Each structure stands twice: as structure tokens, then as C-alpha cells.
Amino acid sequence: DNGEYFQQHGGTAMGNSLTPCIANLFMSKFETEAKDKFEYFPRILFRYEDDIFAVFDTKAIGLDNFIAKLNIRFPTIHFTYEMEHNEQLPFLELLVIRNRKKQRLFDIFPTIHTTLFNIKWQVLIF
């Protein structure tokens, strides 16, 4: 608007229709390399664009240590995290609720409860 121009030094152009696809390919490669190189990697990890849901064993490695290792790999990418509170964690448009009363495969899969279009959905993640 006021005659200023800016030069982008990294990443892809905002608004480019290929940007989400390129970002997804990059993150897939990033995850694969981290899984191969790290001594610990979450057994369950789901990613939707830039949001990641993972079941993490804090006895295997400290969460802060794991996030620091991720953040060292590429200085332009910064990972943050949220912990569950009262055995619940919001993820995207869902509320993930840990249900310790049910027997599940490996006893770590959460049950997701959400309301979508006034219909209650309950999904067990495998």
C-alpha cells in the first residue's frame, strides 16, 4: 500500500495452492527421519496439517527433552505442546477423554467425544 516490498527468505508463498501439499510432504519426511533417528518416538502420532496428537510415554523420555530435539532439527519450525488436564485434551474440534475404565488394545487408545451437527459421535482411535 505504501510502496514497500518484502522479500521472503524461506518457506513457500502464502496463498499459493501448493503450499499445504508441500508442507504436508515436508512434515511427512520430517516425521519419518525423526522416527528413524530418535531413540524414542511416540507409538501413536496423528497429524492434521500443523496439529499433532500423540500418546507419549513420559517414563521413556522427558517431554521437554523430546520437544527440544524436534526444535533443533529445523530452526524455522517451532514445536509446542499441551498436556491433558482432568484426563481431557481438546484437539481440533474434538475433546479427547481418557477412559481408564475400559479395557483397550495396549490400554492407551483414547475415546473421542464430540458433537457435530447436533449428533453425538464417539470414536475409538486405533
Side-chain angles (χ1 to χ4, degrees), residues 57-68:
D57 181 5
T58 55
K59 294 175 187 161
I61 186 174
L63 190 53
D64 289 329
N65 188 13
F66 182 77
I67 297 296

Side-chain angles (χ1 to χ4, degrees), residues 22-37:
I22 292 169
N24 194 36
L25 290 171
F26 175 84
M27 285 306 296
S28 292
K29 186 175 187 324
F30 182 91
E31 287 171 17
T32 302
E33 288 178 359
K35 191 174 190 177
D36 292 342
K37 293 180 181 180

